[in-house]
Amino acid sequence: MSSYQSPFERLRAKFDESNPNCPSCGYVDTECGWRVATTGSRVTYQFVCPTCDAVETRELRLGREP
Ligand SMILES: [Zn+2]
């Protein structure tokens, strides 16, 4: 077993710790969290607000560490 974490895994862990919140109504989701989709070198996090249907999208790009 290795404890090595790729930069992506670390970024992802950071995201997983944070609850998505709606930019429109301020609702904070504490249960479902983000939906994660990976496309090539991009990771898209999407959250659909259950109260007002606003969609919050954030994108992470894989690549060099800052
Ligand atoms: Zn909302």
Side-chain angles (χ1 to χ4, degrees):
M1 292 288 282
S2 168
S3 62
Y4 173 78
Q5 278 194 313
S6 71
F8 165 62
E9 285 171 324
R10 269 185 273 144
L11 269 175
R12 187 169 170 172
K14 201 186 282 185
F15 248 96
D16 287 348
E17 282 175 8
S18 65
N19 295 321
N21 71 293
C22 176
S24 296
C25 73
Y27 175 87
V28 178
D29 185 293
T30 54
E31 291 179 5
C32 299
W34 300 91
R35 279 190 196 175
V36 187
T38 310
T39 327
S41 61
R42 293 180 184 183
V43 184
T44 304
Y45 281 78
Q46 191 177 66
F47 165 65
V48 180
C49 179
T51 64
C52 74
D53 288 336
V55 179
E56 168 83 329
T57 304
R58 293 192 197 166
E59 188 178 276
L60 298 181
R61 289 185 193 188
L62 307 184
R64 296 198 315 172
E65 290 193 63

